[in-house]
Amino acid sequence: MNSLKEIQLKLKFFWGSLFYFKYTPHALLYSCKRDNIERKFFKRSTEKGFNKPGKLNRTELTDRGANFYFELAELHF
């Protein structure tokens, strides 16, 4: 009788795990639709970036952080 109870519990667990399996196709379909919509409205940057900002010239402490001044860029953090 004990082995029958174990088999019954295993089957119950198996069928319970299949409950979430029915949501998988909906999740995949939603993900594909979302990716297609995002791909339509994705804008590439038209600004040319730079590899290195150069040497650090100076820093200034502020109330909320600091300002860093490089040769080719400024960073306000």
Side-chain angles (χ1 to χ4, degrees), residues 17-77:
S17 64
L18 288 180
F19 172 76
Y20 295 104
F21 188 67
K22 69 180 180 181
Y23 296 111
T24 303
H26 299 289
L28 291 174
L29 184 63
Y30 169 77
S31 299
C32 290
K33 285 181 179 180
R34 182 200 59 214
D35 291 344
N36 286 334
I37 290 171
E38 287 180 355
R39 202 173 295 123
K40 285 181 187 177
F41 296 104
F42 178 72
K43 293 182 180 179
R44 297 199 182 271
S45 176
T46 57
E47 297 178 10
K48 184 177 178 183
F50 54 90
N51 292 336
K52 297 180 182 177
K55 292 182 182 180
L56 179 64
N57 291 334
R58 70 178 200 273
T59 60
E60 295 177 358
L61 292 177
T62 62
D63 294 339
R64 295 186 177 196
N67 297 332
F68 300 96
Y69 297 95
F70 297 92
E71 291 176 338
L72 301 174
E74 296 180 6
L75 175 65
H76 303 283
F77 187 69

